[in-house]
Amino acid sequence: VQLQASGGGLVQAGGSLSVSCTASGRPFGLYVMGWFRQAPGKEREFVAAISRDGGSTAYADSVKGRFTISRDNAKNTVYLQMNSLKPEDTAVYDCAASSIVTVSTTATRYRYWGQGTQVTVSS
């Protein structure tokens, strides 16, 4: 499956931004989808994940209550709505797909990755 992330940009602290990731190549509903991010000089970290049918989600503690992951299987797209953004949310955000059964916070369990989209939050 091929993944294309989009929607990043520059936003002021406290603002909102939505990123999306569109898949192609295989039935989208077969995959658990995740969002990860990597800031300069830091390791990649888990942000959020959603089950195949969208009924189960997981979030990193750092984004819980501010970010929402969702998916539209008819549109082969997963979304990440980010509210109350902070400068420490600045990173390249990347989507990933996994054929595992349940959501996972572990990057190594995701086989397919997009190219990433930059999110910059100014203070």
Side-chain angles (χ1 to χ4, degrees):
V1 63
Q2 293 78 46
L3 304 175
Q4 179 77 36
S6 61
L10 173 65
V11 64
Q12 288 188 331
S16 298
L17 197 64
S18 179
V19 292
S20 61
C21 174
T22 301
S24 61
R26 292 194 69 186
F28 184 64
L30 293 177
Y31 298 96
V32 166
M33 298 299 298
W35 284 100
F36 292 79
R37 67 187 182 186
Q38 187 166 19
K42 295 187 177 181
E43 294 186 354
R44 177 169 22 186
E45 65 172 350
F46 168 76
V47 176
I50 189 166
S51 61
R52 296 172 179 179
D53 65 357
S56 179
T57 58
Y59 295 94
D61 288 343
S62 60
V63 307
K64 202 170 293 183
R66 300 188 297 122
F67 290 12
T68 302
I69 188 172
S70 61
R71 67 189 296 164
D72 185 339
N73 286 352
K75 295 183 178 180
N76 294 344
T77 301
V78 61
Y79 306 94
L80 185 67
Q81 176 66 41
M82 302 179 287
N83 299 328
S84 302
L85 283 160
K86 304 175 182 180
E88 51 263 44
D89 294 318
T90 295
V92 174
Y93 284 71
D94 205 0
C95 57
S98 175
S99 57
I100 57 176
V101 175
T102 59
V103 296
S104 175
T105 63
T106 306
T108 54
R109 302 206 71 186
Y110 291 81
R111 179 177 181 182
Y112 304 100
W113 292 81
Q115 86 292 351
T117 186
Q118 177 70 46
V119 172
T120 303
V121 185
S122 63
S123 57

